[in-house]
Amino acid sequence: MISVDNLSLYFGAQSVFNQVSFMINQNDKIGLVGKNGSGKSTLLKLLTNNLSPNDGKISILKNTVIGYLEQDIDFEDKYTLIEEMRKVFSDIELYKSDFEKLNKEIAERDDYESPEYIELLNNLSSTEERIRMEGGYDTDIKINRILMGLGFKESDFHKHTSEFSGGWRMRIELAKILLKKPDIILLDEPTNHLDIVSIVWLEKWLQAYTGAIVLVSHDRKFLDSIINRTMELSFSHINDYKANYSKYLFLRKDRQEKQIQAKKNQDKYIAQTKMLINKFRAKKNKAAFAQTLIKKLERLEPIEVEKEDVTKLNFRFPPAPHSGKVTFKMKNISKNYGSLEVLKKINLEINRGEKIAFVGKNGEGKTTLAKIIVDQIEYDGRTQFGYNVQFGYYAQNQVDFLDADKTVLQTIEDAMTADINLKVRDVLGSFLFSNDDVDKKISVLSGGERARVSLCKLLLSPVNFLIMDEPTNHLDIISKDILKKALIAFDGTLIIISHDRDFLQGLSNKIYEFKNQNIKEFLGDVNTFLKNKELENLDDLNLAGVSTYKPKKKADSIQKISYHERKERDRNIRKLEKKISKIENEITQLELAQKELDLKLSNPEQFKELTKQKDFFKNYESEKLKIQEKEKKWEFLVSELNDLKNM
């Protein structure tokens, strides 16, 4: 659908892409990976014609619809949430408007036998057919399913979009793209503003999506669950692997090892051939042979070893100053934003050395409690730090606190105090800012580069209590791994707020889930929490996307008996189509659950554990029968629908 041919792009002396070529096909699920600043977001802008290359050509198949979610969006707030969603179906809304006008005109006439009246009926019929073909009667159901899956509540539907925070407005843009179902979806860090439940829901949606996807994400699990092709951006080139992210890592290593060995063999062959040429070129009876060897070397295609960008963050947190056993206490903490109650009588004691993760849906109070701990907002209740506790706070929007007009060097120099015995350029070098990079203004840095500057500032003073709110947003996978190792090695107390399951795995020894204005404690890491909550169970996840919201139905204005039977038949068709759609979804979910269980049964250890459960095989067969019964019901409904349509 998209062909890229010898594309080159450079800014001044910096080459971003150098003669890269690739194609995006219909069923491709592509993950763009590479270090911060390697050009991932830039490539998406090129594919959408928001940026023009210096050389090369991008060809897009005619009538191809592209949906693009940017990292930074200029929002326009003119409508309510539901109105904003309905704008996606503007063509259908026009058909519906025409349908209402035709209905009204027919209702006001009584010349039933006239050519004009018959023409109106024909126009009404064809307009309704268009609405049905475009799925116009299901638009509110589709809107409802997407919004609820992304974490919106029914009470949000009629709110003006200006009432939502930046993260929620980013979800609105994502919802509009998912509703469009374009031929190609380009997603730039879509999980940055989603909670764990919404991320898992989006995973399932994208897995079932039949179009092409180009995805930029630093969430390893998210990438692995969706993509079937990995394109690595490195040193202005693209290395293309027909594999998901984990397999790409293995294939890249294997490919490089083979290239290194092949290069060694070729170098050895070249050296031996040159020795023979030097030996025989001066001899008359061997000169022709020497010339043959020279021509062979000239025709030889040199083997190049695929470059790997080995530059990476190099830091660890300073040793934590000694503190008392209790790090922090809070008693009867409550917080309201106007009439909205976020936290209600929270009691919590955090002890030295604990590593705690705050998890839960967005808006449940995780960031609010973090701000209360560092005394950034007003609240009801009492808090108390322990003896000699010195905290460091990394806010969710930490990068927004950087002065855009300052350079990287100025930013770190201003943050350093007289008692810090560190060389500024050495510190910046460990965060991948070297040479001319330190003179770049904050305003021109990528999101990941700004995040590195913010982390660098945090390391300038030793602390024994770290509170970090979404520190992995914008960081590439390698940088996230290094941050995780540094946090594991940190010998102080840690509170981490994150939606990244891979990052949280093994990092915390205690989880607090935020729900219904309160918190609930789980011992262990995020995997233990997910198992306890059974979030991996698809049926439970789907409950997060089910709603009882029912759009208002407009009164039928046709009163004419001559048209009544046709209307009744069409109404019954629509009802059947909805029933069929519903039962198809139920079959899909049951089959997915069955497939997941079969996968577990293929593991000997899990098989042993599962089959210990009482009535396991009876329940297993019962679930299979459910699928068969629903399939029979589906066949009956489809047959009934076909009969109605052929009347």
Side-chain angles (χ1 to χ4, degrees):
M1 291 187 283
I2 297 181
S3 173
V4 177
D5 187 29
N6 288 323
L7 181 142
S8 294
L9 178 73
Y10 45 84
F11 299 116
Q14 182 188 4
S15 175
V16 183
F17 298 112
N18 183 22
Q19 294 187 325
V20 301
S21 300
F22 61 89
M23 290 188 70
I24 299 173
N25 303 307
Q26 187 173 0
N27 297 315
D28 282 339
K29 305 287 189 293
I30 300 170
L32 291 183
V33 301
K35 299 181 76 66
N36 291 132
S38 60
K40 301 184 293 293
S41 297
T42 302
L43 183 57
L44 295 186
K45 289 176 182 176
L46 286 164
L47 294 176
T48 53
N49 292 322
N50 288 339
L51 191 64
S52 299
N54 297 102
D55 294 300
K57 185 180 179 183
I58 299 175
S59 303
I60 302 174
L61 202 64
K62 190 177 179 182
N63 297 326
T64 298
V65 179
I66 298 176
Y68 175 37
L69 180 73
E70 299 180 72
Q71 276 195 45
D72 302 304
I73 299 172
D74 293 325
F75 300 102
E76 292 185 6
D77 297 310
K78 295 180 180 179
Y79 306 96
T80 64
L81 175 60
I82 195 73
E83 287 170 345
E84 190 73 21
M85 294 302 108
R86 285 172 179 160
K87 277 172 56 188
V88 172
F89 304 106
S90 55
D91 289 346
I92 292 173
E93 293 302 315
L94 284 174
Y95 291 144
K96 286 183 177 179
S97 177
D98 290 343
F99 186 75
E100 287 180 13
K101 288 175 185 175
L102 287 165
N103 265 337
K104 187 177 179 182
E105 193 172 346
I106 289 169
E108 292 171 351
R109 299 180 66 132
D110 56 9
D111 53 336
Y112 308 134
E113 305 300 326
S114 69
E116 292 82 2
Y117 186 84
I118 292 170
E119 186 179 356
L120 282 172
L121 288 179
N122 289 334
N123 289 340
L124 184 72
S125 177
S126 61
T127 303
E128 189 177 33
E129 184 65 22
R130 282 183 179 178
I131 295 170
R132 186 163 54 248
M133 291 293 289
E134 296 287 337
Y137 294 109
D138 298 328
T139 54
D140 281 308
I141 295 170
K142 292 172 185 173
I143 289 169
N144 184 42
R145 187 182 299 128
I146 295 292
L147 289 179
M148 297 296 283
L150 289 174
F152 290 95
K153 299 174 183 175
E154 291 178 30
S155 55
D156 295 327
F157 286 14
H158 296 287
K159 284 182 182 177
H160 197 274
T161 54
S162 60
E163 296 182 48
F164 295 97
S165 66
W168 284 98
R169 283 193 283 184
M170 190 69 80
R171 292 189 189 209
I172 292 172
E173 296 304 311
L174 176 58
K176 285 157 65 176
I177 291 169
L178 298 185
L179 282 170
K180 281 180 184 175
K181 287 197 174 181
D183 302 299
I184 302 174
I185 296 180
L186 310 180
L187 299 174
D188 196 350
E189 293 291 356
T191 64
N192 272 356
H193 302 284
L194 301 181
D195 53 55
I196 289 177
V197 173
S198 297
I199 289 172
V200 177
W201 178 89
L202 181 60
E203 272 182 13
K204 301 300 179 188
W205 195 96
L206 293 174
Q207 285 169 357
Y209 180 64
T210 54
I213 297 170
V214 181
L215 171 65
V216 175
S217 177
H218 298 137
D219 186 324
R220 192 193 305 263
K221 283 186 179 292
F222 189 70
L223 279 172
D224 266 344
S225 69
I226 294 164
I227 65 172
N228 55 26
R229 181 177 166 193
T230 303
M231 286 170 51
E232 177 193 48
L233 280 59
S234 180
F235 296 106
S236 306
H237 290 87
I238 290 179
N239 301 311
D240 200 344
Y241 295 83
K242 304 293 188 291
N244 67 9
Y245 183 79
S246 292
K247 194 173 181 183
Y248 137 76
L249 292 175
F250 171 79
L251 290 174
R252 182 182 65 178
K253 185 179 178 182
D254 181 62
R255 182 172 169 179
Q256 287 171 340
E257 287 173 353
K258 287 177 180 176
Q259 286 175 343
I260 289 167
Q261 188 57 50
K263 178 70 172 170
K264 284 180 181 177
N265 293 338
Q266 189 181 67
D267 289 345
K268 186 178 179 182
Y269 169 77
I270 290 170
Q272 290 173 342
T273 304
K274 283 181 177 179
M275 185 182 69
L276 289 173
I277 290 169
N278 292 331
K279 183 178 179 180
F280 295 127
R281 72 193 315 168
K283 297 180 180 180
K284 288 183 179 180
N285 60 339
K286 297 289 185 179
F289 177 61
Q291 286 299 316
T292 302
L293 293 177
I294 290 170
K295 288 178 181 178
K296 273 188 177 181
L297 282 185
E298 288 173 350
R299 290 195 299 267
L300 190 67
E301 189 76 31
I303 295 171
E304 291 185 3
V305 177
E306 191 176 286
K307 289 182 180 179
E308 182 177 1
D309 193 344
V310 294
T311 57
K312 59 184 180 180
L313 293 181
N314 179 26
F315 77 94
R316 53 187 296 127
F317 290 97
H322 183 71
S323 64
K325 182 182 177 182
V326 176
T327 298
F328 187 79
K329 284 183 179 180
M330 59 175 64
K331 189 170 183 181
N332 291 330
I333 295 297
S334 297
K335 176 63 183 174
N336 295 347
Y337 292 103
S339 60
L340 178 64
E341 187 176 42
V342 180
L343 298 171
K344 185 177 181 180
K345 293 187 177 181
I346 303 294
N347 295 297
L348 179 63
E349 181 177 301
I350 299 167
N351 295 315
R352 184 181 63 226
E354 284 189 321
K355 292 189 174 173
I356 296 167
F358 286 176
V359 301
K361 290 185 178 181
N362 288 347
E364 293 286 353
K366 302 185 297 296
T367 295
T368 296
L369 193 62
K371 288 180 177 178
I372 288 172
I373 292 171
V374 299
D375 202 25
Q376 279 197 358
I377 56 175
E378 294 181 355
Y379 56 91
D380 296 321
R382 290 187 290 121
T383 64
Q384 182 184 353
F385 283 100
Y387 170 74
N388 198 34
V389 171
Q390 301 166 40
F391 72 83
Y393 177 48
Y394 186 99
Q396 186 175 139
N397 58 337
Q398 190 72 35
V399 295
D400 296 337
F401 298 135
L402 301 174
D403 189 335
D405 294 325
K406 286 184 179 179
T407 65
V408 174
L409 184 61
Q410 289 170 337
T411 300
I412 301 305
E413 282 178 337
D414 291 350
M416 296 185 89
T417 56
D419 60 335
I420 298 175
N421 186 23
L422 294 170
K423 292 182 180 179
V424 180
R425 285 184 178 269
D426 288 347
V427 173
L428 286 171
S430 66
F431 282 85
L432 307 184
F433 294 107
S434 57
N435 303 325
D436 294 339
D437 290 339
V438 301
D439 296 319
K440 286 181 179 179
K441 284 194 173 184
I442 298 296
S443 58
V444 303
L445 299 181
S446 69
E449 289 169 326
R450 292 186 193 190
R452 295 207 306 265
V453 174
S454 297
L455 279 173
C456 184
K457 286 181 67 178
L458 188 64
L459 259 70
L460 295 178
S461 299
V463 298
N464 48 30
F465 184 23
L466 271 175
I467 304 102
M468 306 194 78
D469 192 353
E470 300 290 4
T472 63
N473 280 358
H474 306 295
L475 285 181
D476 60 59
I477 292 174
I478 295 173
S479 298
K480 283 201 306 184
D481 288 344
I482 292 164
L483 173 61
K484 180 177 176 178
K485 287 175 184 174
L487 289 172
I488 289 171
F490 175 59
D491 56 351
T493 307
L494 172 69
I495 289 177
I496 188 90
I497 302 172
S498 178
H499 56 254
D500 190 319
R501 293 156 294 170
D502 187 62
F503 181 74
L504 286 176
Q505 185 180 344
L507 180 56
S508 64
N509 50 33
K510 189 181 287 186
I511 300 276
Y512 282 104
E513 181 194 16
F514 284 64
K515 190 175 182 181
N516 299 328
Q517 297 89 43
N518 220 307
I519 59 174
K520 184 178 179 181
E521 180 184 287
F522 293 83
L523 295 179
D525 70 355
V526 70
N527 283 350
T528 307
F529 165 73
L530 289 173
K531 285 176 183 176
N532 285 334
K533 296 295 293 180
E534 296 183 341
L535 285 180
E536 58 264 323
N537 184 293
L538 190 61
D539 291 333
D540 287 349
L541 278 174
N542 282 338
L543 291 176
V546 174
S547 167
T548 56
Y549 171 75
K550 294 180 182 178
K552 292 179 182 178
K553 294 183 179 179
K554 296 180 181 177
D556 184 4
S557 61
I558 293 183
Q559 303 294 329
K560 303 301 175 183
I561 294 173
S562 59
Y563 196 59
H564 181 268
E565 290 180 358
R566 185 186 180 102
K567 287 290 290 179
E568 185 65 26
R569 188 203 70 161
D570 289 345
R571 192 180 295 111
N572 290 333
I573 286 174
R574 290 197 297 274
K575 284 180 181 178
L576 276 173
E577 285 174 339
K578 286 180 183 178
K579 284 182 181 178
I580 290 167
S581 178
K582 183 182 177 183
I583 203 166
E584 283 174 346
N585 287 333
E586 289 171 351
I587 291 169
T588 300
Q589 305 315 327
L590 285 169
E591 286 177 340
L592 283 169
Q594 191 81 20
K595 187 178 179 182
E596 189 176 351
L597 185 58
D598 287 341
L599 192 64
K600 288 179 181 178
L601 289 171
S602 66
N603 183 308
E605 291 181 6
Q606 288 184 308
F607 178 88
K608 192 175 179 181
E609 287 298 317
L610 287 168
T611 52
K612 284 180 183 177
Q613 296 174 11
K614 187 181 178 182
D615 296 327
F616 171 80
F617 289 103
K618 183 180 177 182
N619 294 333
Y620 181 84
E621 290 300 320
S622 175
E623 290 301 306
K624 279 191 170 182
L625 283 172
K626 275 186 189 177
I627 296 174
Q628 292 171 8
E629 286 168 5
K630 287 190 179 293
E631 284 176 341
K632 286 179 182 177
K633 189 175 179 182
W634 178 85
E635 289 174 3
F636 173 79
L637 290 172
V638 169
S639 175
E640 194 174 348
L641 178 65
N642 289 334
D643 290 340
L644 262 178
K645 285 184 174 180
N646 292 327
M647 281 175 63

